[in-house]
Amino acid sequence: MVRKPVIVVHGGAWAIPDDLAESSKIGVKNAAKCGFSILASGGSSMQAVESAVRMLEDNPVFDAGHGAVLNANGDVELDAIIMDGKNLAVGAVSCIKNIANPVMFARTVMEKTPHSMLTGAGANTFAERMNIDKVPTDELVTENATKEWEKYQLYKQSVTSLFNTEKMHDTVGAVAIDSEGNLSCGTSTGGITNKMVGRVGDSPIVGSGAYADNFCGAVSTTGHGESIMKVTLARLVLFNMQRGETPQNAADHALEYMKNRVHGSGGLIVVSKSGEWAARFSTKRMAWASAENNLLTYGLNPGETFQETLDP
Ligand code: ASP
């Protein structure tokens, strides 16, 4: 059966400041368009997700690849995941350095190793072996990321009081279904500003930062990683859907559960096996966009939805 392809992307759930609002919207719209053009020409959801996430990683507005936030040492450590809903194949990387497109590297781990996740120095050695370009840290660091980091050094606030604010995170992700009904998802992040060296959040953890299963749907999450991991947010949304909830209700109930159970805020995008999708968040803002048929839908503030016709 030929399916109607759909892609949904996000650029992170957090208190996006006004001066980043417009560029965040433009960034997610372009990524959704890029992924959708692959789906519309018969490409796979895996390719569409990888391309959309790569575009978001290359955009310095978002905390992934170029634009990643800095850890306590002022260094960049990146996490990413990609998952194929057809056979539940998954590739993830965590705590990697000097790689501009961690999602592409995660796909290499999925396709070229017998493992699901590589981390730290071992991952970087494998990247060299696979001839993945090494970029100097400076090239990934933006002025904004440096300013944020300097602010945190100045105040030296306690780790816990900082980490549950909405001020310091933001991640990118994509979910898609292609014309063959295959679902895929991908998530990529620099994590949260001033995180401990070696800290890994939810993003590369299967079932927390992302999950895709052709039998149900695909999800990519964003928000407070330590909370998301505790409730395995991506899998929780699909669990709710398997019990008969719509993607939107499944997402809202999972976010509500995370808030009530562990006081965590975040957001997510989800697409079901029948192409129904939702973009939901419990933070102040989340930049998101979806593309299907000839329609581009996007938003940033709660309850806000804009639509534009997509050029054929
Ligand atoms: N979830 C990411 C992390 O905790 C951050 C984010 O989504 O903004 O690493």
Side-chain angles (χ1 to χ4, degrees):
M1 187 166 97
V2 177
R3 297 273 181 192
K4 173 192 75 157
V6 181
I7 185 160
V8 192
V9 308
H10 72 77
W14 63 299
I16 300 168
D18 288 343
D19 61 334
L20 288 183
E22 203 45 41
S23 46
S24 299
K25 268 196 246 175
I26 293 170
V28 290
K29 279 164 67 176
N30 287 339
K33 281 190 211 167
C34 154
F36 189 68
S37 68
I38 291 168
L39 295 173
S41 56
S44 68
S45 57
M46 175 59 55
Q47 197 50 43
V49 160
E50 187 198 325
S51 301
V53 173
R54 278 176 71 163
M55 186 174 245
L56 293 161
E57 287 175 337
D58 289 343
N59 187 333
V61 168
F62 303 110
D63 166 23
H66 293 271
V69 298
L70 305 182
N71 69 13
N73 275 2
D75 202 356
V76 172
E77 289 177 326
L78 303 165
D79 304 329
I81 187 169
I82 197 155
M83 186 166 184
D84 186 343
K86 199 181 348 178
N87 53 3
L88 307 189
V90 61
V93 290
S94 60
C95 249
I96 57 165
K97 294 186 184 191
N98 307 106
I99 288 178
N101 294 113
V103 75
M104 184 188 73
F105 184 31
R107 188 170 173 184
T108 309
V109 169
M110 179 177 83
E111 291 174 350
K112 302 264 188 318
T113 80
H115 305 303
S116 295
M117 185 194 279
L118 291 183
T119 195
N124 274 100
T125 305
F126 178 64
E128 271 173 41
R129 216 180 336 130
M130 291 288 108
N131 292 322
I132 291 180
D133 284 346
K134 205 171 161 186
V135 293
T137 304
D138 286 356
E139 232 179 75
L140 300 175
V141 177
T142 59
E143 214 181 295
N144 249 347
T146 307
K147 268 197 216 142
E148 272 301 293
W149 183 79
E150 280 166 359
K151 214 162 67 196
Y152 284 98
Q153 302 316 300
L154 209 63
Y155 295 127
K156 292 265 181 239
Q157 295 174 34
S158 91
V159 164
T160 38
S161 70
L162 278 175
F163 280 2
N164 230 347
T165 70
E166 290 189 6
K167 296 245 155 52
M168 48 194 308
H169 35 71
D170 145 35
T171 283
V172 305
V175 295
I177 182 165
D178 59 33
S179 53
E180 291 181 7
N182 288 317
L183 288 145
S184 301
C185 62
T187 304
S188 180
T189 192
I192 48 188
T193 300
N194 210 36
K195 64 185 181 182
M196 284 176 70
V197 175
R199 178 262 189 192
V200 176
D202 62 297
S203 304
I205 309 294
V206 63
S208 291
Y211 202 83
D213 184 348
N214 278 10
F215 292 170
C216 184
V219 180
S220 167
T221 70
T222 164
H224 184 239
E226 283 68 10
S227 300
I228 293 174
M229 282 192 275
K230 286 173 190 156
V231 302
T232 57
L233 187 62
R235 197 63 194 79
L236 182 57
V237 175
L238 296 181
F239 174 73
N240 289 344
M241 283 161 63
Q242 280 167 330
R243 298 196 327 167
E245 294 196 51
T246 61
Q248 178 162 327
N249 286 344
D252 286 346
H253 290 150
L255 288 169
E256 211 174 283
Y257 181 77
M258 184 166 80
K259 176 140 265 165
N260 295 337
R261 192 71 179 85
V262 293
H263 310 291
S265 305
L268 61 96
I269 48 175
V270 50
V271 62
S272 76
K273 65 178 180 186
S274 56
E276 232 189 310
W277 60 270
R280 311 293 293 169
F281 51 99
S282 55
T283 49
K284 197 170 158 215
R285 284 174 159 169
M286 180 176 84
W288 61 270
S290 84
E292 59 187 322
N293 299 324
N294 57 350
L295 208 59
L296 183 71
T297 309
Y298 60 97
L300 184 87
N301 293 304
E304 177 182 79
T305 302
F306 303 103
Q307 287 195 322
E308 280 174 23
T309 311
L310 274 175
D311 298 331

